[in-house]
Amino acid sequence: MTQAAFPDLDVAHRMADAARAAILPHFRTSSLTAENKLDGGFDPVTVADRAAERAMRAVLAELRPDDGILGEEFGTKPGTTGRTWVLDPIDGTRGFISGTPTWGVLIALSDENGPFLGVIDQPYTGERFCGGPEIASMTGPLGERPLQTRATAALEDAILFTTFPEVGTPEDRAAFERVSARAKLTRYGTDCYAYALVAAGQVDLVIEAGLNAYDIQAPIALIQAAGGMVTDWQGNPAHNGGRALAAANAEIHAAALELLQQT
């Protein structure tokens, strides 16, 4: 589907381009510093996070001034159209300050039914994953290709990802371990990149907890467009964050969900 046929995608590309330009001058530089936003823990934010969100908001002010915005760094701007752009300028700031290329820019467009357009952009590797009505594709160093999730049905054949080894609470961790014990391979620490890999047909499951809406809405739309599904741990919509289960298909989702819900 062409960008002209889906103008919202063109707006998302403009925002992703603006975020790339704002972020890359700071990546892997010795002068980069991070502030801690969290009392009693570590939740970093950098000048690159704030610059990228400002750049994306500037694009929206020009092209979609009446739409709402929900952004990690600068909060909510009400709109009048019933549509909200949900922005995470750098998902995975811990990885960003560590120099790993697994962070990303998250852009979602949502209405009363939830997110229907999602972009995960990795500026350093030049990869951009896009999903929406009649589109599921990525561009990268090897060009453009369609996105399609895997058909893995058995947990014993599944590749499972999560960002933090503790996942969330001790109860969250125990539930995750029940799935991990059955999976073929479990990997950690890739933030939003793991969701992009589900859409790209490389990974079967991502299980996380403690998410915000801006962490998960872009992955939801992207993975759904590629043939997968994302819910909370009860099988309900995960649009508002919390616990999330992203799966390549309904069969592997059901198998993981059954174990997550055991007590």
Side-chain angles (χ1 to χ4, degrees), residues 15 39 44 62 64 71 83 100 106 125 130 142 156 169 182-183 227 236 258:
M15 283 194 287
D39 293 332
E62 176 188 355
R64 293 290 189 275
R83 295 152 36 107
T100 61
L106 301 184
T125 63
C130 302
L142 299 180
E156 290 77 11
T169 66
R182 292 273 301 278
N236 299 316
E258 180 180 1

Side-chain angles (χ1 to χ4, degrees), residues 106-108 118-120 192 195-196 199 213-225 230 246:
L106 301 184
I107 300 168
V119 173
I120 298 179
C192 65
Y195 294 104
Y214 47 73
D215 297 314
I216 195 62
Q217 289 211 12
I220 288 172
L222 175 67
I223 289 171
Q224 289 179 167
V230 184

Side-chain angles (χ1 to χ4, degrees), residues 224-241:
Q224 289 179 167
M229 57 190 301
V230 184
T231 70
D232 67 11
W233 291 12
Q234 302 303 314
N236 299 316
H239 305 160
N240 293 322

Side-chain angles (χ1 to χ4, degrees), residues 174-188:
F176 173 83
E177 288 289 356
R178 290 194 292 271
V179 183
S180 179
R182 292 273 301 278
K184 178 173 68 175
L185 175 65
T186 301
R187 303 291 291 169
Y188 300 90

Side-chain angles (χ1 to χ4, degrees), residues 237-256:
H239 305 160
N240 293 322
R243 294 167 163 177
L245 166 61
N249 57 71
E251 291 78 13
I252 201 75
H253 177 273

